[in-house]
């Protein structure tokens, strides 16, 4: 507050969620989801296995249609007698394939929950799925296990589908479906084991380097740059391999539609890997600066006032004490409410002697008391779970330390990101 009794920061925003801590994508408590079938920010909610919401992104329908078309063309050569029914079989294959991807992501989710790491959601999207794990693993061993269980489940599924192939006749619809699912899960497992972020193999490599060096950031840097090298390799190598017949399908015409499709697919995969590796690197650098965000250093000094105290008198006391916030206390000195800064701004100077601070205060609710020791991701997660404009910051003894403004946290978070980018 300045000498006139007005807050120094009059443009404080209305209550809203603070910035979210950097998430690790690749999966407990999340935002309230809409009813089943209703679209949300992550797509269409399909269910909540293990309490974690599963969303299907709109891009999935595009890929499902593409898979249906491509697989249907293959069925026309293998099972021409199916006619147009081949597209129903192909659609079943697309759904079954993404069910396998869901199992892959559920493996990550179950492991994360077992390690008490919160999982915001699982999202099935354009190229596979993503499990949004909100916190870092505490050790390289857990990081390795968390990453490895996904490809392991895909390998198990590939083995199960191969076993199923032995029980049915080759060249039939069940045989072709089982063969397709076996091959697709094998590809998912092998692809995810490539040692570069954001793939599971990159996280495994990160864990190994972390274990050797004792520095998680060193592991992230190594795995991220290898991920970028993989992106370049995919961009150049995939079309080259398919064109030369190294994958068993020689194509002499570089300008053919098949070659252009391969090039487009390679470009999309390369872009996903490159972007994911870059994001992993940026989030790791941000996490290095998050410990600087502490409730104690961001808290505004506050003075206690009783509910009937005139606003002008409360502001005078705050200015004399060099404080920037007001806490309403009962006659015993127990805090009961916080005086909202936006409410103070709305009271004209000539009315402040006649307005009691209690009329401008917001009662303290569950979650609005913050420990002065909270810092980094723990602080951001705590504020995100209970959105408010201001929070009462208390010492471990319960003594009032001050008031924490969401606006101050946001400014510090943006500043940390700016230093990270510099």
């Amino acid at each position: 507050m300045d000498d006139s009794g007005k807050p120094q920061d009059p443009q404080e925003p209305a209550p809203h969620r603070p910035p979210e801590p950097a998430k690790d994508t690749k999966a407990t408590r999340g935002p309230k989801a809409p009813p089943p079938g209703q679209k949300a920010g992550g797509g269409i909610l399909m269910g909540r296995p293990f309490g974690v919401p599963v969303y299907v992104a709109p891009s999935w329908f595009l890929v499902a249609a593409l898979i249906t078309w491509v697989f249907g063309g293959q069925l026309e050569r293998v099972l021409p007698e199916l006619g147009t029914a081949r597209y129903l079989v192909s659609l079943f294959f697309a759904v079954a394939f993404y069910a396998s991807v869901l199992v892959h992501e559920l493996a990550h989710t179950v492991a994360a929950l077992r390690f008490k790491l919160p999982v915001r959601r699982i999202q099935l999207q354009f190229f596979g799925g993503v499990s949004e794990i909100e916190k870092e693993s505490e050790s390289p061993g857990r990081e390795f296990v968390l990453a490895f269980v996904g490809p392991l489940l895909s390998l198990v599924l590939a083995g199960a589908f191969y076993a199923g192939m032995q029980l049915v006749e080759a060249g039939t619809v069940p045989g072709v479906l089982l063969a397709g699912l076996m091959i697709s899960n094998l590809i998912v497992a092998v692809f995810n084991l490539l040692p570069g972020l954001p793939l599971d193999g990159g996280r495994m490599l990160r864990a190994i380097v972390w274990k050797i060096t004792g520095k998680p950031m060193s592991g992230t840097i190594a795995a991220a740059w290898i991920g970028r090298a993989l992106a370049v390799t995919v961009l150049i190598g995939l079309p080259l391999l398919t064109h030369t017949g190294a994958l068993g399908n020689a194509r002499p015409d570089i300008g053919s539609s098949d070659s252009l499709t391969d090039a487009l697919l390679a470009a999309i995969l390369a872009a996903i890997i490159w972007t994911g590796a870059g994001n992993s690197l940026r989030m790791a650098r941000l996490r290095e600066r998050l410990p600087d965000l502490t409730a104690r250093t961001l808290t505004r000094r506050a003075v206690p006032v009783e509910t009937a105290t005139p606003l002008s008198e409360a502001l005078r006391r705050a200015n004399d004490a060099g404080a920037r916030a007001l806490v309403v206390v009962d006659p015993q000195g127990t805090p009961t409410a916080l005086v909202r800064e936006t409410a103070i701004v709305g009271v004209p100077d000539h009315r402040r002697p006649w307005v009691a601070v209690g009329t401008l205060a917001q009662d303290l609710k569950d979650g609005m008391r913050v420990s002065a020791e909270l810092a980094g991701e723990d602080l951001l997660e705590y504020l995100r779970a209970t959105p408010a404009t201001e929070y009462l910051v208390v010492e471990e003894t319960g003594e009032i330390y001050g008031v924490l403004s969401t606006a101050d946290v946001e400014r510090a978070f943006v500043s940390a990101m700016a230093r990270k980018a510099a």
Side-chain angles (χ1 to χ4, degrees), residues 264-324:
L264 178 60
L265 176 62
I268 294 174
L269 285 175
I272 291 173
I273 296 173
W274 182 279
T275 303
N279 287 340
S280 297
L281 196 57
R282 285 190 290 273
M283 288 301 100
R285 287 173 177 165
L286 175 59
R287 275 193 170 98
E288 284 192 319
R289 299 189 182 277
L290 280 182
D292 295 339
L293 300 180
T294 63
R296 186 177 296 278
T297 58
L298 295 175
T299 294
R300 301 178 179 185
R301 186 176 179 184
V303 294
V305 293
E306 294 190 3
T307 186
T309 304
L311 177 59
S312 59
E313 171 62 16
L315 292 176
R316 184 194 65 79
R317 295 181 192 177
N319 286 329
D320 289 346
R324 298 180 58 201

Side-chain angles (χ1 to χ4, degrees), residues 50-378:
F50 305 102
V52 177
V54 175
Y55 293 97
V56 174
S59 59
W60 176 86
F61 296 96
L62 176 62
V63 178
L66 180 61
I67 292 175
T68 301
W69 177 262
V70 173
F71 195 69
Q74 295 176 349
L75 285 177
E76 186 178 14
R77 293 190 294 270
V78 179
L79 298 170
E81 65 274 13
L82 286 178
T84 56
R86 65 181 181 275
Y87 291 112
L88 291 177
V89 177
S90 298
L91 179 60
F92 177 84
F93 170 79
V95 174
F97 169 66
Y98 268 87
S100 300
V101 172
L102 177 59
V103 171
H104 175 110
E105 296 304 327
L106 284 174
H108 292 304
T109 295
V110 172
L113 296 178
R114 183 71 179 269
F115 294 146
K116 301 188 183 304
L117 298 175
V119 183
R120 178 178 297 279
R121 65 181 179 180
I122 297 173
Q123 186 183 54
L124 299 180
Q125 53 188 16
F126 192 80
F127 269 104
V130 175
S131 302
E132 296 187 1
I133 304 174
E134 295 186 350
K135 291 185 179 180
E136 286 278 3
S137 299
E138 297 177 354
S139 68
R142 288 189 172 186
E143 174 76 358
F144 188 92
V145 171
L146 189 59
F148 181 61
V149 291
L152 177 61
L153 255 293
S154 293
L155 288 173
V156 170
L157 285 175
F161 289 127
Y162 177 78
M165 289 171 56
Q166 313 310 308
L167 303 178
V168 300
E169 184 179 350
T172 62
V173 170
V176 171
L177 284 175
L178 289 170
L181 291 171
M182 184 271 292
I183 294 173
S184 60
N185 276 277
L186 186 60
I187 292 174
V188 167
V190 172
F191 180 74
N192 274 280
L193 285 173
L194 293 176
L197 287 172
L199 304 175
D200 293 326
R203 296 183 62 192
M204 293 162 63
L205 174 63
R206 175 182 182 271
I208 293 172
V209 176
W210 178 3
K211 179 67 174 179
I212 294 173
T213 64
K215 299 177 180 179
M217 186 62 184
S218 297
T220 300
I221 292 174
W225 278 105
I226 292 178
R228 287 177 168 177
L230 280 174
V232 175
T233 302
V234 167
L235 180 62
I236 299 174
L238 183 59
L240 183 62
L241 287 174
T242 54
H243 172 66
T244 58
L247 298 181
N249 187 19
R251 294 170 186 163
D253 185 3
I254 296 179
S256 68
S257 59
D258 286 338
S259 294
L260 293 177
T261 300
D262 291 338
L264 178 60
L265 176 62
I268 294 174
L269 285 175
I272 291 173
I273 296 173
W274 182 279
T275 303
N279 287 340
S280 297
L281 196 57
R282 285 190 290 273
M283 288 301 100
R285 287 173 177 165
L286 175 59
R287 275 193 170 98
E288 284 192 319
R289 299 189 182 277
L290 280 182
D292 295 339
L293 300 180
T294 63
R296 186 177 296 278
T297 58
L298 295 175
T299 294
R300 301 178 179 185
R301 186 176 179 184
V303 294
V305 293
E306 294 190 3
T307 186
T309 304
L311 177 59
S312 59
E313 171 62 16
L315 292 176
R316 184 194 65 79
R317 295 181 192 177
N319 286 329
D320 289 346
R324 298 180 58 201
L326 303 173
V327 177
V328 177
V329 297
D330 62 18
Q332 289 73 41
T334 302
T336 60
L338 302 177
V339 180
R340 296 169 298 170
E341 189 173 16
T342 51
I344 295 175
V345 174
V347 179
D349 291 347
H350 69 276
R351 296 199 63 241
R352 291 182 177 182
W354 318 106
V355 176
V357 294
T359 62
L360 307 175
Q362 178 183 13
D363 292 339
L364 285 172
K365 300 177 181 178
D366 292 341
M368 290 181 63
R369 285 178 170 82
V370 176
S371 169
E373 305 305 320
L374 274 181
E377 290 189 54
D378 290 337

